[in-house]
Amino acid sequence: MAKAITQKSKKKNSSLARPKKLKHVSKSNKKKKKELSARAHKKAIKKSLPQKRPGIFKTIPSFVKKHKKVLLFTLATLFGAGSLFYWTVLKDLPSPTSMKEQSIPQTTIIRDRNGQVLFRIYKDANRVKLGLNNIPQVIIDATIAIEDSEFYKHHGISFHSILRAFLYNIKQSDKNQFQGGSTITQQLVKNRLLGPQKSYLRKIREIILAPLVELTYSKKDILTMYLNEVGYGGPAYGVEAASQMYFN
């Protein structure tokens, strides 16, 4: 009897313990379900948000691999064009600083004891240098109005004038009819550094040098050099020689 009672009590105890294990398992399952739902919710939120694009440094290697041939061709073309531009235009390009260093031949003037001019001795060009303060303001204003009305506004070149001259020149068959569209600074560069030959190569060099001259010298210096260098017909170069030839 005692054994039977003990066996019954053990069965009761085991039957009572089982529901507790089920409760524990059900609680853990609920937690797992909650965690899974939370993770799924987070993933859904991440997908709905706009994704960040990869940085430029990360995309460069893939871009280079995809377009390797195109990039090599582009680099080779740029290198060839740069080399050609250097050897044809930039090589042996004169320095703007040489304009001050050059010694321009001046006319030798012989006077008597009273200061009267007896002789003017020169080879090809009659040239007498003057400072800008010694040149009448009327001549300065007239020169700027005729040659370069925007002299004090530009930085050496006028693209509007160059374009106008280019459109006019392509219609001409004779080079002597070409227009330059040059500013006072460009004309000074032509007279002092490049020479009078008419060609597109000289014009390109002129366009490159003119802004450099503007950076090197003031507007006053440029105007002074121009008025002492520009040809006024025949052997007269500069306003002083021109005034002596035409009005003396």
Side-chain angles (χ1 to χ4, degrees):
M1 289 291 291
K3 288 181 181 180
I5 293 167
T6 53
Q7 285 178 356
K8 286 181 181 180
S9 62
K10 284 180 181 180
K11 286 180 181 180
K12 287 181 181 179
N13 291 333
S14 61
S15 64
L16 291 171
R18 281 175 188 172
K20 288 182 180 179
K21 287 181 181 179
L22 290 171
K23 284 183 181 179
H24 178 72
V25 171
S26 62
K27 285 181 180 179
S28 62
N29 288 336
K30 285 181 180 179
K31 286 182 181 180
K32 286 180 181 179
K33 286 180 181 179
K34 285 182 181 180
E35 288 176 0
L36 290 171
S37 62
R39 288 176 186 175
H41 183 64
K42 285 180 180 180
K43 287 181 180 180
I45 291 171
K46 284 182 179 180
K47 286 181 180 180
S48 63
L49 291 173
Q51 295 181 354
K52 292 182 180 179
R53 293 181 179 179
I56 187 169
F57 294 107
K58 291 182 180 179
T59 58
I60 287 174
S62 60
F63 179 81
V64 171
K65 287 180 181 179
K66 287 181 181 179
H67 307 281
K68 188 176 181 180
K69 291 182 179 180
V70 176
L71 290 173
L72 287 174
F73 176 76
T74 304
L75 290 173
T77 304
L78 290 174
F79 179 78
S83 300
L84 181 65
F85 184 76
Y86 172 78
W87 287 104
T88 56
V89 178
L90 299 180
K91 190 176 181 294
D92 300 326
L93 195 71
S95 173
T97 56
S98 62
M99 295 175 68
K100 281 283 188 180
E101 296 169 359
Q102 291 175 354
S103 57
I104 305 299
Q106 303 290 314
T107 300
T108 300
I109 301 174
I110 299 175
R111 304 174 187 270
D112 63 11
R113 69 177 71 182
N114 298 318
Q116 188 70 26
V117 177
L118 299 177
F119 302 101
R120 297 179 186 274
I121 302 171
Y122 54 88
K123 187 178 180 181
D124 297 318
N126 180 15
R127 185 184 288 108
V128 180
K129 188 176 180 180
L130 293 177
L132 194 65
N133 296 331
N134 296 323
I135 299 174
Q137 189 63 40
V138 175
I139 295 177
I140 296 172
D141 295 339
T143 301
I144 292 173
I146 295 169
E147 297 292 339
D148 187 3
S149 59
E150 296 181 350
F151 175 68
Y152 290 105
K153 296 179 181 178
H154 62 67
H155 299 286
I157 55 177
S158 173
F159 291 104
H160 177 266
S161 300
I162 292 171
L163 180 61
R164 174 183 50 78
F166 176 76
L167 294 175
Y168 174 83
N169 292 343
I170 58 177
K171 298 177 184 178
Q172 306 300 319
S173 57
D174 186 5
K175 284 187 177 181
N176 294 323
Q177 300 296 323
F178 280 9
Q179 294 182 358
S182 299
T183 61
I184 285 176
T185 309
Q186 287 178 264
Q187 293 181 51
L188 180 63
V189 168
K190 179 187 72 174
N191 294 335
R192 291 291 294 271
L193 299 177
L194 298 178
Q197 69 275 11
K198 291 184 178 181
S199 66
Y200 285 110
L201 178 60
R202 194 221 73 204
K203 178 60 67 174
I204 292 170
R205 288 183 169 182
E206 189 180 290
I207 291 170
I208 293 171
L209 284 170
L212 298 177
V213 170
E214 290 269 348
L215 291 172
T216 307
Y217 304 102
S218 64
K219 291 285 187 180
K220 181 180 178 180
D221 291 337
I222 292 169
L223 195 58
T224 303
M225 287 188 283
Y226 176 81
L227 291 172
N228 282 299
E229 290 294 327
V230 65
Y232 285 94
Y237 285 83
V239 292
E240 176 65 14
S243 64
Q244 293 167 4
M245 188 173 77
Y246 293 112
F247 302 106
N248 194 353

